[in-house]
Amino acid sequence: MVQRRLPRPSELAPLLRPAPFVRDATARRLRRAASVADLRLIARRRTPRAVFDYCDGAADGEQSLRRARAAFARVEFQPSVLHDVSTIDTSRDILGKRAALPFAFAPTGFTRMMQTEGERAVASVAQEVGVPHTLSTMGTTTIEDLAASAPDARLWFQLYLWRDRSFGKDLVQRAAAAGYDTLMLTVDTPSGGARLRDVRNGLAIPPALTLKTFVDGAMHPNWWFDLLTTEPLTFATLAAGGTPEEMINRVFDPALTMADVEWLRDTWPGKLVIKGVQSVDDALRVVDAGADGVLLSNHGGRQLDRAPVPLELVEPTVQALGGRAEVLVDTGITNGGDIVAAVALGASAALVGRAYLYGLMAGGRAGVAKVAEILRADVVRTLQLLGVTSVDELGPQHVRLR
Ligand SMILES: Cc1cc2nc3c(=O)[nH]c(=O)nc-3n(C[C@H](O)[C@H](O)[C@H](O)COP(=O)(O)O)c2cc1C
């Protein structure tokens, strides 16, 4: 039998420690988020349904995304104990330059639609943290404005080649002139993916003011207030509107071939990465055509559904390329342990897309910074628990896919 008694006031006093009041509402909101998944939930509450779904959703049955995430869940780390892991080096060479962490921010279109601080917030965090940020051709901030807003950030430019090649050439020249050091050509969009959530939600870009959106405005007043009281939401490089699928189909070229990769190689002076490679054979072909890196990706599951799982392609691609080019990977990364696993399998770095967008929707720049901090802490902790002192030490001996 447990003997009960009344607690003494002197015992209660030290337990009464109310959390200090945080004046800033955003900081208050972000304070308790412990993971990217937590930030996603905050993002969902704060953002109109159609906008959140545009970001969160994928194509068709969303199997590509689900399977990519499931592959990260299949990772089994192989730790080794009794090593001095008091100091951890998280830095990594990515495409010829040292980054503070083994990841970069992936290109996302319409970023200011998620939250109006948009690309500038992401580039500013990239600059502070020391990782690259990629601006999309579908971005909502111009090439030059973004570079000016984060002059010390390492910026990459993601290119969609348009039917009119002269337009692509112009963008490439502008990116080079503005100091972007890497060009990422996306090749998995010969046609727009069937994003069923967008169809059902009637998503138009920019969002249309209809009765439905008006009612939504009452539920997400902050989002609408931001949208209507900051610079207009426009496509910085793309003078078009409509549904995302319509825009892709109108502007992007289904006749893109390897000859275009060769042409870009001759046009672009910096590093060239091909994004959306989904087989070892294609990786070999694009590297033969002059690419410095391949990004194994199925576009976050937003294009072909039931596509190959990028994480599973890392090891065979690294082996086949034999050091001739770097292998990067994205799709489905939700924590720093995922990034460690990708590097251990041979990737030079991973890219994250939705993870930082959830942070952006949850709290603007502060939310993106929170995501970067969560990922950094995850990477450090995972290395320590693996018994490894630096990212560069990671190898296939540290991980297997169950
Ligand atoms: C809202 C959104 C917009 C995107 N826009 C682009 C784009 O304009 N160009 C591009 O190459 N990839 C784009 N992507 C794909 C990302 O670059 C990246 O491949 C993908 O998000 C990685 O998967 P993850 O979101 O699971 O990290 C977009 C992804 C999202 C979620």
Side-chain angles (χ1 to χ4, degrees):
M1 266 295 275
V2 179
Q3 291 286 317
R4 305 240 173 238
R5 64 179 179 88
L6 277 177
R8 290 193 201 101
S10 62
E11 289 168 342
L12 286 178
L15 302 181
L16 293 172
R17 281 169 301 177
F21 179 71
V22 177
R23 193 175 286 275
D24 180 59
T26 306
R28 247 193 342 265
R29 196 162 58 241
L30 298 175
R31 185 170 50 164
R32 290 197 191 284
S35 65
V36 171
D38 291 349
L39 289 165
R40 176 181 175 276
L41 294 180
I42 300 174
R44 195 171 63 180
R45 277 201 305 275
R46 293 187 55 81
T47 317
R49 171 72 182 268
V51 173
F52 178 80
D53 272 353
Y54 168 68
C55 173
D56 193 59
D60 298 289
E62 305 195 352
Q63 294 297 345
S64 290
L65 179 60
R66 214 169 288 130
R67 288 177 190 168
R69 289 189 177 145
F72 283 106
R74 286 201 293 118
V75 164
E76 182 182 279
F77 286 115
Q78 313 287 310
S80 173
V81 294
L82 295 172
H83 302 279
D84 178 358
V85 290
S86 28
T87 315
I88 297 291
D89 178 4
T90 58
S91 67
R92 183 75 163 165
D93 275 338
I94 311 177
L95 296 160
K97 283 190 191 155
R98 204 75 185 158
L101 286 154
F103 70 84
F105 293 131
T108 56
F110 321 129
T111 315
R112 289 194 60 243
M113 181 174 76
M114 290 15 135
Q115 203 272 356
T116 52
E117 292 172 36
E119 290 91 353
R120 284 190 190 87
V122 187
S124 154
V125 171
Q127 171 173 282
E128 185 178 274
V129 174
V131 298
H133 168 58
T134 322
L135 175 67
S136 163
T137 296
M138 308 276 251
T140 41
T141 306
T142 65
I143 292 173
E144 294 80 10
D145 285 352
L146 191 68
S149 77
D152 296 326
R154 180 176 183 196
L155 295 176
W156 297 351
F157 185 69
Q158 176 267 324
L159 182 71
Y160 282 124
L161 265 185
W162 306 35
R163 288 170 207 266
D164 177 355
R165 291 288 189 273
S166 66
F167 198 80
K169 194 169 177 183
D170 178 50
L171 289 181
V172 167
Q173 283 167 350
R174 282 173 57 192
Y180 290 59
D181 69 38
T182 297
L183 185 71
M184 187 178 274
L185 176 70
T186 299
V187 295
D188 57 8
T189 48
S191 168
R195 320 252 173 97
L196 303 188
R197 293 201 216 180
D198 294 352
V199 176
R200 291 183 186 124
N201 290 329
L203 177 71
I205 292 176
L209 274 172
T210 61
L211 183 62
K212 200 172 157 205
T213 47
F214 192 73
V215 171
D216 182 89
M219 289 161 67
H220 302 99
N222 292 319
W223 185 91
W224 280 100
F225 179 76
D226 271 353
L227 182 79
L228 298 173
T229 57
T230 56
E231 59 184 301
L233 179 66
T234 52
F235 302 102
T237 47
L238 181 85
T243 70
E245 196 178 338
E246 275 167 11
M247 288 168 61
I248 286 185
N249 290 338
R250 197 180 317 139
V251 178
F252 305 112
D253 188 356
L256 193 71
T257 66
M258 206 57 74
D260 295 295
V261 176
E262 285 159 8
W263 168 72
L264 266 184
R265 178 66 291 174
D266 295 338
T267 314
W268 172 254
K271 297 282 184 186
L272 178 65
V273 174
I274 308 301
K275 175 176 191 279
V277 171
Q278 297 175 73
S279 76
V280 174
D281 280 352
D282 279 354
L284 290 168
R285 284 167 67 217
V286 300
V287 171
D288 285 344
D292 301 295
V294 293
L295 172 48
L296 301 170
S297 165
N298 61 37
H299 213 109
R302 300 165 74 81
Q303 287 296 113
L304 178 66
D305 200 16
R306 295 176 285 185
V309 172
L311 184 71
E312 291 174 356
L313 286 170
V314 172
E315 233 176 346
T317 308
V318 169
Q319 265 172 24
L321 288 177
R324 288 170 58 212
E326 285 188 29
V327 174
L328 300 109
V329 65
D330 78 16
T331 302
I333 288 173
T334 58
N335 61 65
D338 294 346
I339 297 169
V340 169
V343 171
L345 287 168
S348 56
L351 275 78
V352 295
R354 290 181 185 82
Y356 78 75
L357 292 176
Y358 294 141
L360 184 67
M361 290 186 280
R365 187 196 181 279
V368 180
K370 177 99 189 186
V371 169
E373 176 47 30
I374 288 171
L375 296 179
R376 193 198 63 78
D378 287 348
V379 169
V380 170
R381 192 179 53 255
T382 308
L383 290 181
Q384 287 178 316
L385 293 174
L386 277 174
V388 169
T389 56
S390 71
V391 167
D392 285 344
E393 258 174 70
L394 288 167
Q397 71 278 16
H398 294 118
V399 65
R400 70 185 181 95
L401 292 178
R402 287 172 67 92

